[in-house]
């Protein structure tokens, strides 16, 4: 959802000729970063003593998502009093996950120039990424005091406020960003995404806002209306996936097993090409790569250039895996580079982009009455739109903690932004209703002492003593999964229900009590519990939620029995059976292809040739 400001302005190469300086500025300002890198690499050889040249070279690498550390370290060494050189090195260190060193760079830049708004802004980014949300908010606000029209700072302030659970303030910040920069699609996506956290949202108003986004990106370029693809319904299809999250990320966890299943099915006729919109890679990425025909790293590539690459790759069906989440390339889809386009798995509402033909859903999560709130045509898979990849961390299911604790422990490992006032109030009722029960909350924000105190205060307002709450922050995935050993029953937040956390909870033997809402985002829990064979864990309203919490907590032996068999039950369910899901997924894509009504010039040429060929004897 955020884009770090890698370079605050076009470089000013002092040791170069005026013509050379103008060329470099033009390349930077027009996004021709590959050409800028080529030219800067040559200049480094000609002027190795020039910090300015090293800064240009490092900037060219940085904006493409390439390793720029060596070049920018050289620039910062040669230009110790250059604010931009220090700031750009900070950006590279941040991208490498070296947060404390990055913070040091930004603080050095601010010591040189205390009113450098960009340095305050970039410091806010790294503070936020290192979990220091309250400090990040202060840095963004300082940047805005210096430069009130800095749209990127308004946007990232909104992100930090959203993670702190201050959702209305976050929405106001996103709107401020758009007021200063009406074409700021990242801020627009963040605005749309944030609405999912708030209860009582008007779906018609949200649809109108999403349509506004679609109209904005549609104005950015003329979409393609013809493709060279042939329409043969039975031939192998080339499927493009656009995502920045094919790694240790919820999207990666839901996609990995499906792609592996597709690749090992001999009858499958799908060739997968990935267009990766983020440079982050890990062992999940490497495994996913083995299931693909091709992997294109497209970070920083302009939309039109990427659209041309997709057309060169002859992609038949292009699938967005992000929606309005981070690193999305929705403006690309508005150019219609493939004859069929769909969105799946990464988002839970309409994108608003008219050029996206299909939204992939299922019978449980998207009722027919809600289809009118999508600009896409809804295509339902027969059982579930989500199929989870079992964790590679070999963490066994722990015994039911209530057996030795003597009381029920509820838990929720969702992002703290989902704990709106209505959620806290309902969970407090559950704790009051189930005698002696406790609640374990685990989220990345809870690593901050100030945020922990705020959570305790919110529950105290409902007469829940802090001794009944256990608050834990981020931990490695194996430790995170093992923490479910402390939980008897998980509580699903609302209206933004769990996805990855619910699948992981089930895998660890912990059923999830969910509240059925009306829109897809509020029904993810319904889809998961029904596909997992746990209908008793779906509540119809708030009173039913409390009643079921009481009822399900009463029979501890039944809970223990369920915990012992749940993992095996899941393996045979649609929620974890990747081979079964892969067959349904391929059938869906084949059906989309057959229904395509676009004009295929290649088909027309073949038809003309057949009409002009004389009949045989």
């Amino acid at each position: 959802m955020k884009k770090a400001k890698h370079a605050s302005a076009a470089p000013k190469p002092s040791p170069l000729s005026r013509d050379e300086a103008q060329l470099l500025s033009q390349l930077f300002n027009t996004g021709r970063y590959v050409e800028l890198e080529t030219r800067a690499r040559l200049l480094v050889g000609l002027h190795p003593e020039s910090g300015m040249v090293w800064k240009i070279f490092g900037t060219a690498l940085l904006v493409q998502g390439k390793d720029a550390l060596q070049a920018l370290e050289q620039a910062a060494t040669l230009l110790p009093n250059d604010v931009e050189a220090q700031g750009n090195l900070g950006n590279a260190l941040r991208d490498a996950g070296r947060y404390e060193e990055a913070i040091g760079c930004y603080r050095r830049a601010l010591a040189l120039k205390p009113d450098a708004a960009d340095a305050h802004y970039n410091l806010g980014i790294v503070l936020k990424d290192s979990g220091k949300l309250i400090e990040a908010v202060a840095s963004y606000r300082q940047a805005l005091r210096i430069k009130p029209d800095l749209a990127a700072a308004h946007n990232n302030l909104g992100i930090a406020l959203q993670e702190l659970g201050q959702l209305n303030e976050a929405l106001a910040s996103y709107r401020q960003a758009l007021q200063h920069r009406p074409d700021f699609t990242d801020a627009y996506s963040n605005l749309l995404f944030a609405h999912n956290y708030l209860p009582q949202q008007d779906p018609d108003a949200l649809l109108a806002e999403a349509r506004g986004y679609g109209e904005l990106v549609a104005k950015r370029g003329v979409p393609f209306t013809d493709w060279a693809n042939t329409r043969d319904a039975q031939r192998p299809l080339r499927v493009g996936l656009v995502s920045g999250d094919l790694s240790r990320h919820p999207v990666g966890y839901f996609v990995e097993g499906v792609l592996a299943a597709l690749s090992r099915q001999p009858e499958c006729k799908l060739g997968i090409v990935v267009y990766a919109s983020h440079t982050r890679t890990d062992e999940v990425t490497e495994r996913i790569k083995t299931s693909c025909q091709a992997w294109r790293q497209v970070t920083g590539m302009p939309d039109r250039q990427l659209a041309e690459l997709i057309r060169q790759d002859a992609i038949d069906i292009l699938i967005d895996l992000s929606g309005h989440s981070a690193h999305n390339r929705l403006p690309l889809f508005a150019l219609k580079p493939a004859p069929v386009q769909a969105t799946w798995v990464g988002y839970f509402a309409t994108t608003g982009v008219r050029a996206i033909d299909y939204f992939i859903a299922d019978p449980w999560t998207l009722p027919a009455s809600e289809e009118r709130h999508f600009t896409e045509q809804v295509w339902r898979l027969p059982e579930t739109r989500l199929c989870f990849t079992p964790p590679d961390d070999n963490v066994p299911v722990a015994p039911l903690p209530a057996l030795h604790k003597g009381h029920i422990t509820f838990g929720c490992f969702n992002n703290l932004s989902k704990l709106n006032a209505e959620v806290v109030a309902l969970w407090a009722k559950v704790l009051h209703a189930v005698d002696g029960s406790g609640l374990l909350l685990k989220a990345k924000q809870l690593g901050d002492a100030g945020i922990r105190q705020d959570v305790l205060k919110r529950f105290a307002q409902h007469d829940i003593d802090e001794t009944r709450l256990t608050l834990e922050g981020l931990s490695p995935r194996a430790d995170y999964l093992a923490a479910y050993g402390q939980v008897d029953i998980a509580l699903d937040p609302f209206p933004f229900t769990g996805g990855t956390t619910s699948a992981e909870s089930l895998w660890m033997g912990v059923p999830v009590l969910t509240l059925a809402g009306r829109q897809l985002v509020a029904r993810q829990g319904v889809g998961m519990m029904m596909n997992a064979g746990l209908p008793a864990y779906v509540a119809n309203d708030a009173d039913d939620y409390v009643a079921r919490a009481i009822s399900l907590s009463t029979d501890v032996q039944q809970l223990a029995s369920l915990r012992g068999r749940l993992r095996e039950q899941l393996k045979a369910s649609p929620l974890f059976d990747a081979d079964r899901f892969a067959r349904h997924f391929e059938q869906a894509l084949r059906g989309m292809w057959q229904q395509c009504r676009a004009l295929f010039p290649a088909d027309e040429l073949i038809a003309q040739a057949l009409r002009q060929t004389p009949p045989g004897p």
Side-chain angles (χ1 to χ4, degrees):
M1 288 183 284
K2 57 182 180 298
K3 297 285 182 72
K5 189 163 185 175
H6 288 312
S8 56
K12 302 172 184 177
S14 58
L16 307 175
S17 69
R18 183 175 179 179
D19 288 345
E20 186 74 60
Q22 288 178 343
L23 173 61
L24 293 170
S25 293
Q26 183 182 24
L27 292 175
F28 181 89
N29 291 328
T30 57
R32 294 155 63 187
Y33 302 132
V34 175
E35 295 175 64
L36 180 64
E37 177 192 345
T38 301
R39 185 63 188 161
R41 192 181 296 275
L42 174 64
L43 292 172
V44 164
L46 295 173
H47 305 281
E49 75 295 339
S50 170
M52 188 62 69
V53 168
W54 281 105
K55 185 168 80 166
I56 297 166
F57 182 43
T59 299
L61 295 170
L62 192 64
V63 294
Q64 295 179 84
K66 296 182 179 180
D67 183 4
L69 263 176
Q70 184 178 358
L72 292 174
E73 284 173 344
Q74 186 72 1
T77 299
L78 293 169
L79 299 171
N81 296 319
D82 187 303
V83 175
E84 286 183 7
Q86 297 296 329
N88 287 346
L89 176 57
N91 292 334
L93 289 165
R94 170 187 170 271
D95 287 350
R98 293 160 61 177
Y99 295 145
E100 291 305 317
E101 293 172 79
I103 289 171
C105 284
Y106 298 135
R107 296 206 188 282
R108 284 195 293 276
L110 289 168
L112 292 167
K113 188 179 179 183
D115 63 346
D118 293 339
H120 284 290
Y121 162 72
N122 283 320
L123 177 58
I125 292 175
V126 75
L127 288 169
K128 182 263 177 190
D129 286 353
S130 56
K132 300 172 182 176
L133 290 170
I134 296 172
E135 293 180 57
V137 167
S139 286
Y140 291 137
R141 285 184 168 148
Q142 181 61 24
L144 290 168
R145 277 191 283 271
I146 298 165
K147 193 174 181 181
D149 62 347
L150 185 56
H154 284 291
N155 177 56
N156 278 27
L157 174 59
I159 294 170
L161 291 169
Q162 180 175 307
E163 291 210 9
L164 286 168
Q166 300 175 32
L167 297 172
N168 289 320
E169 294 87 345
L171 290 171
S173 288
Y174 297 141
R175 294 194 189 282
Q176 279 286 308
L178 289 166
Q179 181 178 334
H180 292 293
R181 203 172 116 198
D183 64 345
F184 196 174
T185 52
D186 282 350
Y188 211 143
S189 282
N190 290 342
L191 177 69
L192 292 169
F193 194 101
H195 277 297
N196 293 285
Y197 290 100
L198 289 165
Q200 314 304 327
Q201 297 287 285
D202 179 356
D204 291 325
L206 296 183
L207 174 61
E209 200 143 43
R211 287 186 190 277
Y213 175 91
E215 292 168 3
L216 173 63
V217 296
K219 295 175 182 176
R220 290 191 165 190
V222 178
F224 295 102
T225 56
D226 58 75
W227 304 269
N229 313 56
T230 56
R231 199 180 173 182
D232 179 359
Q234 301 306 316
R235 69 171 175 82
L237 296 176
R238 284 176 64 78
V239 178
L241 304 179
V242 183
S243 176
D245 300 319
L246 298 179
S247 57
R248 276 186 171 262
H249 179 279
V251 171
Y253 298 149
F254 281 109
V255 167
E256 180 189 348
V258 174
L259 296 185
L262 287 169
S263 68
R264 64 175 173 257
Q265 291 182 0
E267 71 279 8
C268 180
K269 293 184 178 180
L270 300 181
I272 305 296
V273 180
V274 164
Y275 301 92
S277 60
H278 194 273
T279 56
R280 177 182 56 232
T281 61
D282 53 33
E283 71 281 2
V284 174
T285 310
E286 295 308 312
R287 291 197 296 267
I288 291 175
K289 284 182 178 180
T290 65
S291 302
C292 303
Q293 283 189 351
W295 186 280
R296 314 280 194 231
Q297 177 50 251
V298 299
T299 302
M301 185 179 293
D303 290 332
R304 180 63 64 170
Q305 183 181 345
L306 177 52
E308 291 291 356
L309 174 61
I310 290 166
R311 287 168 64 80
Q312 291 169 19
D313 285 339
I315 296 300
D316 300 304
I317 302 177
L318 188 66
I319 303 178
D320 156 62
L321 300 182
S322 300
H324 287 287
S325 64
H327 315 300
N328 77 70
R329 297 299 299 262
L330 289 178
L332 159 77
F333 283 80
L335 296 175
K336 193 71 170 176
V340 178
Q341 300 190 145
T343 182
W344 171 55
V345 81
Y347 193 55
F348 16 75
T350 185
T351 64
V353 179
R354 293 192 304 272
I356 296 181
D357 304 292
Y358 299 103
F359 184 98
I360 299 175
D362 62 47
W364 297 110
T365 58
L366 185 52
S369 61
E370 292 301 305
E371 288 187 18
R372 67 187 185 87
H373 296 126
F374 286 76
T375 58
E376 306 87 354
Q377 178 182 338
V378 173
W379 191 290
R380 289 180 179 80
L381 299 177
E383 296 171 316
T384 173
R385 69 186 285 262
L386 301 174
C387 184
F388 199 68
T389 309
D392 56 335
D393 305 273
N394 188 23
V395 182
V397 175
L400 188 78
L403 291 176
H404 65 269
K405 286 186 176 180
H407 64 80
I408 291 292
T409 301
F410 296 104
C412 178
F413 291 10
N414 278 262
N415 189 308
L416 208 63
S417 302
K418 297 182 181 181
L419 268 66
N420 59 64
E422 292 187 17
V423 170
V424 172
L426 184 57
W427 287 0
K429 287 184 180 180
V430 168
L431 291 173
H432 284 304
V434 180
D435 195 35
S437 61
L439 174 63
L440 168 61
L441 298 179
K442 188 174 181 63
K444 61 183 179 180
Q445 296 99 320
L446 291 173
D448 187 301
I451 296 174
R452 290 196 299 272
Q453 285 301 313
D454 179 65
V455 171
L456 294 175
K457 289 177 182 176
R458 293 174 67 191
F459 277 92
Q461 291 171 356
H462 297 276
D463 298 322
I464 299 298
D465 189 83
E466 65 179 49
T467 58
R468 300 183 69 180
L469 299 173
T470 302
L471 308 180
E472 295 184 3
L474 193 65
S475 58
R477 196 178 189 213
D479 295 337
Y480 161 88
L481 292 170
Y484 279 106
Q486 305 173 58
V487 179
D488 298 292
I489 299 173
L491 299 180
D492 209 4
F494 56 89
F496 198 152
T497 54
T500 305
T501 52
S502 295
E504 290 167 334
S505 179
L506 294 172
W507 181 254
M508 296 309 300
V510 181
V512 184
L513 177 59
T514 191
L515 177 61
R518 191 174 75 179
Q519 296 162 287
L520 190 153
V521 69
R523 296 184 62 82
Q524 291 183 124
V526 176
M528 288 194 166
M529 295 312 111
M530 298 306 291
N531 277 291
L534 299 172
Y537 286 82
V538 178
N540 298 314
D541 55 37
D543 290 339
D544 189 30
Y545 193 96
V546 176
R548 287 176 186 267
I550 297 170
S551 173
L552 295 166
S553 300
T554 301
D555 193 338
V556 174
Q557 291 302 324
Q558 184 178 23
L559 271 178
S561 174
L562 174 62
R563 193 182 189 94
R565 69 176 187 272
L566 187 52
R567 185 173 288 186
E568 290 304 312
Q569 182 174 319
L570 285 173
K571 289 178 181 178
S573 76
L575 194 58
F576 278 77
D577 188 341
D579 291 314
R580 176 174 171 180
F581 185 94
R583 290 191 295 272
H584 294 157
F585 190 70
E586 182 184 2
Q587 290 167 5
L589 298 188
R590 185 69 59 180
M592 293 175 194
W593 183 249
Q594 290 172 340
Q595 284 193 12
C596 180
R597 294 293 183 262
L599 175 65
F600 288 82
D603 283 356
E604 287 300 303
L605 291 174
I606 293 170
Q608 289 176 19
L610 290 174
R611 286 195 293 271
Q612 294 168 5
T613 302

